Amino acid sequence: MNAGPRNWAGNIAFAARTVARPRTIAELQDIVRRSDKLRVLGSGHSFNTIADTDDTLIILSDLERRIEIDSAAGTVSVDSGATYADVAPVLYAAGFALPNVASLPNITIAGAVVTATHGSGDANRNLAAAVSGIKLVTANGEILSLNHGDADFDGAVVSLGALGVICELTLDIAPSFDVRQNVYLDLPVATVIENFDALMSRAYSVSLFTRWQGAAIDQIWVKALASAREPPTDVLGARAATRACHPIPDMDGTNCTAQFGVAGPWHERLFHFAIGNTASAGAELQSEFFVKRADAPAAIAALHAAQEQFSGALFISEIRSVAADTLWLSSAYQQDTIGFHFTWRPDWEPAIAAVKAVEAALSPFNPRPHWAKIFTLPPAVVETRFQRISDFRSLAQRLDPAGKFRNSFVTDLIFG
């Protein structure tokens, strides 16, 4: 018997009795109609059981790619199996861009949207906030279309897969643009705390990478519009890198997008990892927590004070900014946000202990967890962090009263 599918990192073996790979929307509708319980697996870039099921697991990668640009409306409509790597080159060739992308190009856009995944930048909102239209296959196999401004729209975009199966997304796009990327090394944590707003706002996108060891941040990745001023030789005293850097020190930086201030197309700079190249460590675990932008300096100080409790389990950690949005279950709902991302070594017990230490350090700042990554916060606490959970629960009860699209993870977290 062949082993069932696993997630991208390999820490989750999906328990599905049936794995379905529809090739058409009609096939997808029929599968949904006939299934008692089901979940959808995108690219598998999740680290908890959010996509798991013991019934039917739907994988959408075999859907025919659909990438339709509406130049007049400034949108692109894509199928739900499409990845950022599929869509970005097509947009660029047509003279358009996605203003914000994930760190990894090989993840599905639909998967990023339903879990409130994000890119980076003070003025850049969550990736789900680019959605202007969504089509869902609902429990009876019919297609529900929702557009920005509709009453249920803000509740339906970040859905954790609990409302239906996305079959199409329409995204807002912009004219294409060029970006320069520079990496700087070894900035003292005290300098980061004292100059945090100036540091994060100095370019289109800024990411800080740190192993939370010692007194310095390891790397600053600065992605600036090519039309901006020439990059400096240092940032607040951090020196410019002289070799291609990888977020995880000692890994091959040539897998990453081009650095050293060489201008290039948006889709060859905004991702951290180049399309077609190996992304991150692979065998890893991930967590991410979001705090209000105003709390970020204090949160950095708290993590720095507690770093010996969790740094031994780390590959790397990233700090980045996300602008506020209006999506009910978004980690940036109604607040500008700073995300603290943690890439853990693939050793479960030390990683869980480290996650708990991070949660404890951040607890004064009421962090919101990333839905698809590892956290131990109980449902009652999570509900206090996402103020619209009760509204989402009501929406789900209306669209899927029998709970066809729920699994134990979603039920315990949202409906328990």
Side-chain angles (χ1 to χ4, degrees), residues 40-339:
V40 178
L41 179 64
S43 51
H45 198 263
S46 54
F47 300 84
N48 56 35
T49 57
I50 189 170
D52 200 15
T53 179
D54 58 5
D55 202 317
T56 300
L57 185 68
I58 297 178
I59 298 176
L60 298 173
S61 56
D62 289 349
L63 284 178
E64 183 179 358
R65 290 289 80 82
R66 178 171 175 263
I67 305 171
E68 295 182 0
I69 298 169
D70 186 332
S71 301
T75 62
V76 61
S77 295
V78 304
D79 67 277
S80 52
T83 67
Y84 285 96
D86 293 327
V87 174
V90 176
L91 285 176
Y92 172 70
F96 293 100
L98 293 170
N100 197 14
V101 296
S103 298
L104 280 64
N106 61 324
I107 64 174
T108 60
I109 297 174
V113 165
V114 299
T115 58
T117 299
H118 62 94
S120 173
D122 275 10
N124 295 323
R125 297 181 300 163
N126 191 292
L127 299 178
V131 176
S132 59
I134 185 170
K135 291 184 179 180
L136 295 169
V137 179
T138 57
N140 61 4
E142 301 301 313
I143 293 178
L144 171 67
S145 295
L146 293 169
N147 296 300
H148 190 269
D150 290 345
D152 294 332
F153 180 83
D154 282 349
V157 177
V158 180
S159 68
L160 313 187
L163 303 181
V165 181
I166 295 174
C167 60
E168 180 183 303
L169 289 169
T170 299
L171 310 173
D172 293 328
I173 56 177
S176 187
F177 56 94
D178 287 350
V179 174
R180 288 195 305 254
Q181 179 168 237
N182 289 81
V183 178
Y184 302 87
L185 307 176
D186 300 326
L187 184 63
V189 173
T191 302
V192 172
I193 292 172
E194 292 167 7
N195 300 275
F196 186 76
D197 284 336
L199 178 61
M200 299 303 288
S201 65
R202 69 176 301 121
Y204 189 81
S205 168
V206 176
S207 290
L208 313 180
F209 289 99
T210 177
R211 290 168 290 179
W212 294 105
Q213 296 176 6
I217 296 291
D218 295 298
Q219 303 176 32
I220 311 164
W221 287 41
V222 179
K223 301 174 191 276
L225 297 178
S227 57
R229 61 184 174 84
E230 287 297 312
T233 56
D234 70 87
V235 170
L236 298 173
R239 68 187 189 281
T242 57
R243 63 175 180 83
C245 291
H246 190 288
I248 301 174
D250 302 323
M251 292 195 73
D252 184 3
T254 61
N255 285 324
C256 299
T257 45
Q259 301 166 20
F260 309 112
V262 178
W266 61 275
H267 69 300
E268 296 179 358
R269 299 294 184 275
L270 291 185
F271 299 111
H272 289 338
F273 301 95
I275 293 174
N277 286 3
T278 302
S280 196
E284 63 191 50
L285 304 172
Q286 291 185 11
S287 298
E288 192 162 19
F289 300 94
F290 303 86
V291 304
K292 293 179 181 178
R293 172 66 180 257
D295 289 336
I300 292 170
L303 288 168
H304 181 63
Q307 64 186 14
E308 291 185 2
Q309 300 176 38
F310 62 85
S311 61
L314 266 179
F315 277 126
I316 198 65
S317 175
E318 181 179 5
I319 303 170
R320 47 190 170 175
S321 55
V322 188
D325 60 56
T326 61
L327 305 175
W328 295 356
L329 296 190
S330 169
S331 48
Y333 175 72
Q334 292 191 339
Q335 65 183 38
D336 290 337
T337 298
I338 296 297

Side-chain angles (χ1 to χ4, degrees), residues 285 313 344 347-359 374-376:
L285 304 172
W344 307 110
D347 193 346
W348 184 255
E349 293 302 327
I352 286 296
V355 169
K356 291 179 178 179
V358 165
E359 290 173 342
I374 297 170
F375 59 93
T376 70

